[in-house]
Coordinates of all heavy atoms in Angstrom, one line a residue:
M158 N -69.9 42.8 52.2 CA -69.9 41.5 51.6 C -70.8 40.6 52.4 O -70.7 40.7 53.7 CB -68.5 40.9 51.4 CG -68.5 39.7 50.5 SD -66.8 39.3 50.0 CE -66.2 38.6 51.5
P159 N -71.6 39.8 51.8 CA -72.5 38.9 52.7 C -71.6 37.9 53.5 O -70.6 37.4 53.0 CB -73.3 38.1 51.6 CG -73.2 38.8 50.4 CD -71.9 39.6 50.4
A160 N -72.0 37.7 54.7 CA -71.3 36.7 55.6 C -71.5 35.3 54.9 O -72.5 35.0 54.4 CB -72.0 36.7 57.0
G161 N -70.4 34.6 54.9 CA -70.5 33.2 54.4 C -70.3 33.1 52.9 O -70.4 32.0 52.4
L162 N -70.0 34.2 52.2 CA -69.7 34.1 50.8 C -68.4 33.4 50.6 O -67.3 33.9 51.0 CB -69.7 35.5 50.2 CG -69.3 35.5 48.7 CD1 -70.4 34.8 47.9 CD2 -69.3 37.0 48.2
T163 N -68.4 32.2 50.0 CA -67.2 31.4 49.7 C -67.2 31.0 48.2 O -68.2 31.1 47.5 CB -67.2 30.2 50.6 OG1 -68.4 29.4 50.3 CG2 -67.2 30.5 52.1
D164 N -66.1 30.6 47.8 CA -65.9 30.0 46.5 C -66.2 31.0 45.4 O -66.7 30.6 44.3 CB -66.7 28.7 46.3 CG -66.3 27.6 47.2 OD1 -65.1 27.6 47.5 OD2 -67.1 26.9 47.7
A165 N -66.0 32.3 45.6 CA -66.2 33.3 44.6 C -65.1 33.2 43.5 O -64.0 33.1 43.8 CB -66.3 34.7 45.1
V166 N -65.6 33.1 42.2 CA -64.6 33.0 41.1 C -64.6 34.3 40.3 O -63.7 34.4 39.5 CB -64.9 31.7 40.3 CG1 -64.7 30.5 41.1 CG2 -66.3 31.8 39.7
A167 N -65.6 35.1 40.5 CA -65.6 36.4 39.7 C -66.4 37.4 40.5 O -67.3 37.0 41.3 CB -66.2 36.2 38.3
I168 N -66.1 38.7 40.4 CA -66.9 39.7 41.1 C -67.0 40.9 40.2 O -66.1 41.1 39.3 CB -66.2 40.1 42.4 CG1 -67.1 40.9 43.2 CG2 -64.9 40.7 42.2 CD1 -66.7 41.1 44.7
A169 N -68.1 41.6 40.3 CA -68.3 42.8 39.5 C -68.8 43.9 40.4 O -69.7 43.6 41.3 CB -69.3 42.6 38.4
A170 N -68.3 45.1 40.3 CA -68.7 46.2 41.1 C -69.5 47.2 40.3 O -69.1 47.7 39.3 CB -67.5 46.9 41.7
G171 N -70.7 47.5 40.7 CA -71.6 48.4 40.0 C -71.1 49.8 40.3 O -70.4 50.1 41.2
D172 N -71.6 50.7 39.5 CA -71.2 52.1 39.6 C -71.9 52.9 40.7 O -71.6 54.0 41.0 CB -71.6 52.8 38.2 CG -71.0 54.2 38.1 OD1 -69.9 54.4 38.7 OD2 -71.6 55.0 37.4
Y173 N -72.8 52.2 41.4 CA -73.5 52.9 42.5 C -73.7 52.0 43.7 O -74.8 51.7 44.1 CB -74.9 53.4 42.0 CG -75.4 54.6 42.8 CD1 -74.9 55.8 42.7 CD2 -76.5 54.4 43.7 CE1 -75.4 56.9 43.5 CE2 -77.0 55.4 44.5 CZ -76.4 56.7 44.4 OH -76.9 57.7 45.1
F174 N -72.6 51.6 44.2 CA -72.5 50.9 45.5 C -73.2 49.6 45.6 O -73.9 49.3 46.6 CB -73.1 51.8 46.6 CG -72.5 53.2 46.6 CD1 -73.2 54.3 46.4 CD2 -71.1 53.4 46.9 CE1 -72.7 55.6 46.4 CE2 -70.5 54.6 46.9 CZ -71.3 55.7 46.6
H175 N -73.2 48.8 44.5 CA -73.6 47.4 44.6 C -72.6 46.5 43.9 O -71.8 47.0 43.1 CB -75.0 47.2 44.1 CG -75.1 47.1 42.6 ND1 -74.9 48.2 41.7 CD2 -75.3 46.1 41.8 CE1 -75.0 47.8 40.5 NE2 -75.2 46.5 40.5
S176 N -72.6 45.2 44.3 CA -71.7 44.3 43.8 C -72.4 42.9 43.6 O -73.4 42.6 44.2 CB -70.5 44.1 44.7 OG -69.8 45.3 45.0
V177 N -71.9 42.2 42.6 CA -72.3 40.8 42.4 C -71.1 39.9 42.3 O -70.1 40.3 41.8 CB -73.2 40.7 41.1 CG1 -74.5 41.4 41.2 CG2 -72.4 41.2 39.9
A178 N -71.3 38.7 42.8 CA -70.2 37.7 42.8 C -70.7 36.4 42.2 O -71.9 36.0 42.5 CB -69.7 37.5 44.2
L179 N -69.9 35.8 41.5 CA -70.2 34.5 40.9 C -69.5 33.4 41.7 O -68.2 33.5 41.9 CB -69.8 34.4 39.4 CG -69.8 33.0 38.7 CD1 -71.3 32.5 38.7 CD2 -69.2 33.1 37.3
R180 N -70.2 32.4 42.2 CA -69.6 31.3 42.9 C -69.2 30.2 42.0 O -69.8 30.1 40.9 CB -70.6 30.8 44.0 CG -70.9 31.8 45.1 CD -71.8 31.1 46.1 NE -72.2 31.9 47.2 CZ -73.4 32.5 47.3 NH1 -74.4 32.2 46.4 NH2 -73.7 33.2 48.3
S181 N -68.3 29.3 42.4 CA -67.9 28.2 41.6 C -69.0 27.3 41.2 O -68.9 26.5 40.2 CB -66.7 27.5 42.2 OG -67.1 26.9 43.5
D182 N -70.1 27.2 42.0 CA -71.2 26.3 41.7 C -72.2 26.9 40.7 O -73.3 26.3 40.5 CB -71.9 25.8 42.9 CG -72.6 26.9 43.7 OD1 -72.5 28.1 43.3 OD2 -73.2 26.6 44.7
G183 N -71.9 28.1 40.2 CA -72.8 28.8 39.2 C -73.9 29.6 39.8 O -74.8 30.1 39.1
T184 N -73.9 29.8 41.1 CA -74.9 30.6 41.8 C -74.2 32.0 42.0 O -73.0 32.2 41.8 CB -75.3 30.1 43.2 OG1 -74.2 30.0 44.0 CG2 -76.0 28.7 43.0
V185 N -75.1 33.0 42.3 CA -74.7 34.4 42.4 C -75.1 35.0 43.7 O -76.1 34.6 44.2 CB -75.3 35.2 41.2 CG1 -75.0 36.7 41.3 CG2 -74.9 34.7 39.9
A186 N -74.3 35.8 44.2 CA -74.6 36.6 45.4 C -74.5 38.1 45.0 O -73.7 38.5 44.2 CB -73.6 36.4 46.5
A187 N -75.4 38.9 45.6 CA -75.4 40.4 45.3 C -75.6 41.1 46.6 O -76.3 40.6 47.5 CB -76.5 40.7 44.3
W188 N -75.0 42.3 46.7 CA -75.2 43.1 48.0 C -74.9 44.5 47.7 O -74.5 44.9 46.6 CB -74.3 42.6 49.1 CG -72.8 42.7 48.7 CD1 -72.0 43.7 49.1 CD2 -72.0 41.9 48.0 NE1 -70.7 43.6 48.7 CE2 -70.7 42.4 48.0 CE3 -72.2 40.7 47.3 CZ2 -69.6 41.8 47.3 CZ3 -71.1 40.1 46.6 CH2 -69.9 40.6 46.6
G189 N -75.3 45.4 48.6 CA -75.1 46.8 48.5 C -76.4 47.5 48.2 O -77.5 47.0 48.5
D190 N -76.3 48.7 47.6 CA -77.5 49.5 47.3 C -78.5 48.7 46.5 O -78.1 47.9 45.6 CB -77.1 50.8 46.6 CG -78.3 51.7 46.4 OD1 -78.7 52.3 47.3 OD2 -78.8 51.7 45.2
N191 N -79.7 48.8 46.8 CA -80.8 48.1 46.1 C -81.9 49.0 45.7 O -83.1 48.5 45.6 CB -81.3 46.9 46.9 CG -82.0 45.9 46.1 OD1 -81.7 45.6 45.0 ND2 -83.0 45.3 46.7
T192 N -81.7 50.3 45.5 CA -82.7 51.2 45.2 C -83.5 50.8 44.0 O -84.8 51.0 44.0 CB -82.1 52.6 45.0 OG1 -81.4 53.0 46.2 CG2 -83.1 53.7 44.7
Y193 N -82.9 50.2 43.0 CA -83.6 49.9 41.8 C -83.7 48.4 41.6 O -84.0 47.9 40.5 CB -82.9 50.5 40.6 CG -82.9 52.0 40.6 CD1 -81.8 52.7 41.1 CD2 -84.0 52.7 40.2 CE1 -81.9 54.1 41.2 CE2 -84.1 54.1 40.2 CZ -83.0 54.8 40.7 OH -83.0 56.1 40.8
G194 N -83.5 47.6 42.7 CA -83.6 46.2 42.6 C -82.3 45.5 42.0 O -82.3 44.3 41.7
Q195 N -81.2 46.3 41.9 CA -80.0 45.8 41.3 C -79.3 44.7 42.1 O -78.5 44.0 41.6 CB -79.1 46.9 40.9 CG -78.5 47.6 42.1 CD -79.3 48.9 42.6 OE1 -80.5 48.9 42.5 NE2 -78.6 49.9 43.0
S196 N -79.7 44.6 43.4 CA -79.1 43.6 44.3 C -80.1 42.5 44.6 O -79.8 41.6 45.4 CB -78.6 44.2 45.6 OG -77.5 45.1 45.3
T197 N -81.2 42.5 44.0 CA -82.2 41.5 44.2 C -82.1 40.5 43.1 O -82.5 40.8 41.9 CB -83.7 42.0 44.3 OG1 -83.7 42.9 45.4 CG2 -84.7 40.9 44.5
L198 N -81.6 39.3 43.3 CA -81.4 38.3 42.2 C -82.7 37.8 41.7 O -83.7 37.6 42.4 CB -80.6 37.2 42.8 CG -79.2 37.5 43.3 CD1 -78.6 36.3 43.9 CD2 -78.4 38.1 42.3
P199 N -82.8 37.6 40.4 CA -84.0 36.9 39.8 C -84.2 35.5 40.4 O -83.2 34.8 40.7 CB -83.6 36.7 38.3 CG -82.5 37.7 38.1 CD -81.8 37.9 39.3
E200 N -85.4 35.2 40.6 CA -85.8 33.9 41.3 C -85.2 32.8 40.4 O -85.3 32.8 39.2 CB -87.3 33.8 41.4 CG -87.7 32.7 42.3 CD -89.2 32.8 42.6 OE1 -89.7 33.9 42.8 OE2 -89.8 31.7 42.7
G201 N -84.6 31.8 41.1 CA -84.1 30.6 40.5 C -82.8 30.8 39.7 O -82.5 29.9 38.9
L202 N -82.1 31.9 39.9 CA -80.9 32.1 39.1 C -79.9 31.1 39.4 O -79.5 30.9 40.6 CB -80.4 33.5 39.4 CG -79.1 34.0 38.7 CD1 -79.4 34.0 37.2 CD2 -78.7 35.3 39.2
S203 N -79.4 30.3 38.4 CA -78.4 29.3 38.6 C -77.7 29.0 37.3 O -78.1 29.6 36.2 CB -79.1 28.0 39.1 OG -80.0 27.5 38.1
N204 N -76.7 28.2 37.3 CA -75.9 27.8 36.1 C -75.3 29.1 35.4 O -75.3 29.2 34.2 CB -76.8 27.1 35.1 CG -77.3 25.8 35.6 OD1 -76.6 25.1 36.3 ND2 -78.6 25.5 35.4
V205 N -74.9 30.0 36.2 CA -74.3 31.3 35.7 C -72.8 31.1 35.5 O -72.1 30.4 36.3 CB -74.5 32.4 36.7 CG1 -73.8 33.7 36.3 CG2 -76.0 32.6 36.9
V206 N -72.3 31.6 34.4 CA -70.9 31.5 34.1 C -70.1 32.9 34.1 O -68.9 32.9 34.1 CB -70.6 30.8 32.7 CG1 -71.2 29.4 32.8 CG2 -71.3 31.6 31.6
A207 N -70.9 34.0 34.1 CA -70.3 35.3 34.2 C -71.3 36.3 34.7 O -72.5 36.2 34.6 CB -69.8 35.7 32.8
V208 N -70.7 37.4 35.4 CA -71.6 38.5 35.9 C -71.0 39.8 35.5 O -69.8 39.9 35.3 CB -71.7 38.4 37.4 CG1 -72.5 37.1 37.8 CG2 -70.4 38.4 38.1
A209 N -71.8 40.8 35.5 CA -71.4 42.2 35.3 C -72.3 43.1 36.1 O -73.5 42.7 36.4 CB -71.4 42.6 33.8
A210 N -71.9 44.3 36.3 CA -72.7 45.3 37.0 C -72.6 46.7 36.4 O -71.4 47.1 36.1 CB -72.3 45.3 38.5
G211 N -73.7 47.4 36.2 CA -73.7 48.7 35.7 C -74.0 49.7 36.8 O -73.9 49.4 38.0
R212 N -74.5 50.9 36.4 CA -74.8 51.9 37.4 C -75.9 51.5 38.4 O -75.7 51.6 39.6 CB -75.1 53.2 36.7 CG -75.3 54.4 37.7 CD -75.2 55.7 37.1 NE -75.5 56.8 38.0 CZ -74.7 57.4 38.8 NH1 -73.5 57.0 38.8 NH2 -75.1 58.4 39.6
F213 N -77.0 51.1 37.9 CA -78.1 50.7 38.8 C -78.7 49.3 38.3 O -79.9 49.1 38.5 CB -79.2 51.7 38.7 CG -78.9 53.1 39.2 CD1 -78.9 54.2 38.4 CD2 -78.5 53.3 40.5 CE1 -78.5 55.4 38.8 CE2 -78.2 54.6 41.0 CZ -78.2 55.6 40.1
F214 N -77.9 48.5 37.7 CA -78.4 47.2 37.2 C -77.3 46.2 37.2 O -76.1 46.5 37.4 CB -79.0 47.4 35.7 CG -77.9 47.7 34.7 CD1 -77.5 46.7 33.8 CD2 -77.4 49.0 34.6 CE1 -76.5 47.0 32.9 CE2 -76.5 49.3 33.6 CZ -76.0 48.3 32.8
S215 N -77.7 44.9 37.1 CA -76.8 43.8 37.1 C -77.1 42.8 36.0 O -78.3 42.8 35.5 CB -76.9 43.1 38.4 OG -76.6 43.9 39.5
L216 N -76.1 42.0 35.6 CA -76.3 41.1 34.5 C -75.7 39.7 34.9 O -74.7 39.7 35.6 CB -75.5 41.6 33.2 CG -75.9 43.0 32.7 CD1 -74.8 43.4 31.7 CD2 -77.3 42.9 32.0
A217 N -76.2 38.7 34.3 CA -75.7 37.4 34.5 C -75.8 36.6 33.2 O -76.8 36.7 32.5 CB -76.4 36.6 35.6
L218 N -74.8 35.9 32.8 CA -74.8 35.0 31.6 C -74.9 33.5 32.1 O -74.0 33.1 32.9 CB -73.5 35.2 30.8 CG -73.4 34.3 29.5 CD1 -74.5 34.6 28.5 CD2 -72.0 34.5 28.9
K219 N -75.9 32.8 31.6 CA -76.0 31.4 32.0 C -75.2 30.5 31.0 O -74.9 30.9 29.9 CB -77.5 31.1 32.0 CG -78.3 31.9 33.1 CD -79.7 31.5 33.1 CE -79.8 30.1 33.7 NZ -81.2 29.7 34.1
S220 N -75.0 29.3 31.5 CA -74.2 28.4 30.7 C -74.8 28.0 29.3 O -74.1 27.6 28.4 CB -73.9 27.1 31.5 OG -75.2 26.5 31.8
D221 N -76.1 28.2 29.2 CA -76.8 28.0 27.9 C -76.8 29.2 27.0 O -77.4 29.1 25.9 CB -78.3 27.5 28.2 CG -79.1 28.6 28.8 OD1 -78.6 29.7 29.1 OD2 -80.3 28.3 29.0
G222 N -76.1 30.2 27.3 CA -76.0 31.4 26.5 C -77.1 32.4 26.7 O -77.2 33.4 25.9
Q223 N -77.9 32.2 27.7 CA -79.0 33.2 28.0 C -78.4 34.3 28.8 O -77.8 34.1 29.9 CB -80.1 32.5 28.7 CG -81.3 33.4 29.1 CD -82.3 32.6 29.9 OE1 -82.1 31.5 30.4 NE2 -83.4 33.3 30.1
L224 N -78.7 35.5 28.5 CA -78.3 36.7 29.2 C -79.5 37.2 30.1 O -80.6 37.4 29.5 CB -77.8 37.8 28.3 CG -77.3 39.1 29.0 CD1 -76.1 38.8 29.8 CD2 -77.0 40.2 28.0
L225 N -79.3 37.4 31.4 CA -80.4 37.9 32.2 C -79.9 39.3 32.8 O -78.7 39.5 33.0 CB -80.6 37.0 33.4 CG -81.0 35.6 33.0 CD1 -81.0 34.7 34.3 CD2 -82.4 35.6 32.4
A226 N -80.9 40.2 32.9 CA -80.6 41.5 33.5 C -81.7 41.9 34.4 O -82.9 41.5 34.3 CB -80.6 42.5 32.3
W227 N -81.3 42.7 35.5 CA -82.3 43.2 36.5 C -81.8 44.5 37.1 O -80.6 44.8 37.0 CB -82.5 42.1 37.5 CG -81.3 41.7 38.4 CD1 -81.0 42.3 39.6 CD2 -80.3 40.8 38.1 NE1 -79.8 41.7 40.1 CE2 -79.4 40.8 39.1 CE3 -80.1 40.0 37.0 CZ2 -78.3 40.0 39.1 CZ3 -78.9 39.1 37.0 CH2 -78.1 39.2 38.1
G228 N -82.8 45.2 37.6 CA -82.5 46.5 38.1 C -83.1 47.6 37.3 O -84.0 47.4 36.6
N229 N -82.5 48.8 37.3 CA -83.0 50.0 36.6 C -83.0 49.8 35.1 O -82.0 49.2 34.6 CB -82.2 51.2 37.0 CG -82.7 52.5 36.4 OD1 -82.3 52.8 35.3 ND2 -83.7 53.1 37.0
N230 N -84.0 50.2 34.4 CA -84.1 50.0 33.0 C -84.6 51.3 32.3 O -85.2 51.3 31.3 CB -85.1 48.9 32.7 CG -85.0 48.5 31.2 OD1 -84.0 48.4 30.7 ND2 -86.2 48.2 30.6
D231 N -84.2 52.5 32.9 CA -84.7 53.7 32.3 C -84.2 54.0 30.9 O -84.8 54.7 30.1 CB -84.2 54.9 33.2 CG -85.0 55.1 34.5 OD1 -86.1 54.4 34.6 OD2 -84.6 55.8 35.4
Y232 N -83.0 53.4 30.6 CA -82.5 53.6 29.2 C -82.5 52.3 28.4 O -81.8 52.2 27.4 CB -81.0 54.2 29.4 CG -81.0 55.5 30.1 CD1 -80.7 55.5 31.4 CD2 -81.3 56.7 29.4 CE1 -80.7 56.7 32.1 CE2 -81.3 57.9 30.1 CZ -81.0 57.9 31.4 OH -81.0 59.1 32.1
G233 N -83.2 51.3 28.9 CA -83.2 50.0 28.2 C -82.0 49.1 28.5 O -81.8 48.1 27.9
Q234 N -81.2 49.5 29.5 CA -80.0 48.8 29.8 C -80.2 47.4 30.4 O -79.4 46.5 30.3 CB -79.1 49.6 30.7 CG -79.6 49.8 32.1 CD -80.5 51.1 32.3 OE1 -81.2 51.5 31.3 NE2 -80.4 51.7 33.4
A235 N -81.4 47.2 31.0 CA -81.7 45.9 31.6 C -82.8 45.2 30.8 O -83.5 44.3 31.4 CB -82.1 46.1 33.1
Q236 N -83.0 45.5 29.6 CA -83.9 44.9 28.7 C -83.2 44.0 27.7 O -82.5 44.6 26.8 CB -84.8 45.9 28.0 CG -85.8 45.2 27.1 CD -86.7 46.3 26.5 OE1 -86.8 47.4 26.9 NE2 -87.3 45.9 25.3
V237 N -83.2 42.7 27.9 CA -82.5 41.8 27.0 C -83.3 41.7 25.7 O -84.5 41.6 25.8 CB -82.3 40.4 27.6 CG1 -81.6 39.5 26.6 CG2 -81.4 40.6 28.9
L238 N -82.7 41.9 24.6 CA -83.4 41.8 23.3 C -84.1 40.5 23.1 O -83.5 39.4 23.4 CB -82.4 42.0 22.1 CG -81.7 43.4 22.1 CD1 -80.6 43.4 21.0 CD2 -82.7 44.5 21.9
A239 N -85.3 40.5 22.6 CA -86.1 39.3 22.3 C -85.3 38.5 21.3 O -84.8 39.0 20.3 CB -87.5 39.7 21.8
G240 N -85.3 37.2 21.6 CA -84.6 36.3 20.6 C -83.1 36.2 20.7 O -82.5 35.5 20.0
L241 N -82.5 37.0 21.6 CA -81.1 36.9 21.8 C -80.7 35.6 22.4 O -81.1 35.3 23.5 CB -80.6 38.1 22.7 CG -79.1 38.2 22.9 CD1 -78.4 38.6 21.6 CD2 -78.8 39.3 24.0
T242 N -79.9 34.8 21.7 CA -79.4 33.5 22.2 C -77.9 33.4 22.0 O -77.3 34.1 21.3 CB -80.2 32.4 21.5 OG1 -79.9 32.5 20.1 CG2 -81.7 32.5 21.8
N243 N -77.4 32.3 22.6 CA -76.0 32.0 22.4 C -75.0 33.1 22.6 O -74.0 33.3 21.9 CB -75.8 31.4 21.0 CG -76.6 30.2 20.7 OD1 -76.7 29.3 21.6 ND2 -77.2 30.1 19.6
V244 N -75.3 33.9 23.7 CA -74.4 35.0 24.0 C -73.1 34.4 24.5 O -73.1 33.5 25.3 CB -75.0 35.9 25.1 CG1 -74.1 36.9 25.6 CG2 -76.3 36.5 24.6
A245 N -72.0 34.9 24.0 CA -70.6 34.4 24.4 C -69.9 35.5 25.3 O -69.0 35.1 26.1 CB -69.8 34.1 23.2
A246 N -70.2 36.7 25.1 CA -69.5 37.8 25.9 C -70.5 39.0 26.0 O -71.4 39.2 25.2 CB -68.3 38.2 25.2
F247 N -70.3 39.7 27.1 CA -71.2 40.9 27.3 C -70.5 41.9 28.3 O -69.5 41.5 28.8 CB -72.5 40.4 28.0 CG -72.4 39.9 29.3 CD1 -72.7 40.6 30.4 CD2 -71.9 38.6 29.5 CE1 -72.6 40.1 31.7 CE2 -71.7 38.0 30.8 CZ -72.1 38.8 31.9
A248 N -71.0 43.1 28.4 CA -70.4 44.1 29.3 C -71.5 45.0 29.7 O -72.5 45.2 29.0 CB -69.3 44.8 28.5
A249 N -71.3 45.6 30.9 CA -72.3 46.6 31.5 C -71.5 47.9 31.5 O -70.4 48.0 32.0 CB -72.7 46.2 32.9
G250 N -72.2 48.9 31.0 CA -71.7 50.3 31.1 C -72.5 51.0 32.1 O -73.3 50.4 32.9
G251 N -72.3 52.3 32.2 CA -73.0 53.1 33.2 C -74.5 53.0 32.9 O -75.3 52.8 33.9
F252 N -74.9 53.2 31.7 CA -76.3 53.2 31.4 C -76.6 52.4 30.1 O -77.6 52.6 29.4 CB -76.9 54.6 31.2 CG -76.8 55.5 32.4 CD1 -75.7 56.4 32.5 CD2 -77.7 55.4 33.4 CE1 -75.7 57.2 33.7 CE2 -77.7 56.2 34.5 CZ -76.7 57.1 34.7
H253 N -75.8 51.4 29.9 CA -76.0 50.6 28.7 C -75.4 49.2 28.9 O -74.6 49.0 29.7 CB -75.4 51.2 27.4 CG -73.9 51.3 27.5 ND1 -73.3 52.3 28.3 CD2 -72.9 50.6 26.8 CE1 -72.0 52.2 28.1 NE2 -71.7 51.2 27.3
T254 N -75.9 48.2 28.0 CA -75.4 46.9 28.0 C -74.9 46.5 26.6 O -75.6 46.9 25.6 CB -76.5 45.9 28.4 OG1 -76.9 46.2 29.8 CG2 -76.0 44.4 28.3
L255 N -73.8 45.9 26.5 CA -73.3 45.4 25.2 C -73.2 43.9 25.2 O -72.9 43.3 26.2 CB -71.9 46.0 25.0 CG -71.7 47.5 25.0 CD1 -70.2 47.8 25.0 CD2 -72.4 48.1 23.8

């Protein structure tokens, strides 16, 4: 876990040694394996209300209903559908996103 990580309100553990945590201020921390960029946060990531982690990818839901994904996309699991808005719930599987 990153030194100084405080105020975590949610955490998600990926299937391949990476984790993401949501802080109370809407920012995210990620750590662990980064072979596919799953622990490298998108630039400017803020206003997050939920996080999830899959096998080699990570997800974040912003307060405006926008879903963001990063990391491995071999099966389309980190490709958010064009025009997808007002997301209220989501989940990360091993190689898929719901």
Side-chain angles (χ1 to χ4, degrees):
M158 192 168 73
L162 177 60
T163 60
D164 298 325
V166 295
I168 191 165
D172 192 29
Y173 202 73
F174 311 115
H175 80 285
S176 300
V177 292
L179 173 62
R180 293 184 183 105
S181 61
D182 66 358
T184 61
V185 174
W188 65 96
D190 185 76
N191 197 35
T192 302
Y193 296 96
Q195 67 268 34
S196 294
T197 300
L198 300 174
E200 194 170 321
L202 184 62
S203 62
N204 299 317
V205 174
V206 296
V208 292
R212 184 160 172 90
F213 299 115
F214 67 102
S215 302
L216 304 165
L218 179 63
K219 296 183 71 166
S220 60
D221 64 0
Q223 178 186 12
L224 183 63
L225 300 172
W227 62 96
N229 183 267
N230 193 40
D231 285 348
Y232 301 96
Q234 69 271 32
Q236 180 178 338
V237 177
L238 298 174
L241 183 65
T242 60
N243 299 317
V244 175
F247 66 104
F252 296 100
H253 66 285
T254 296
L255 302 170

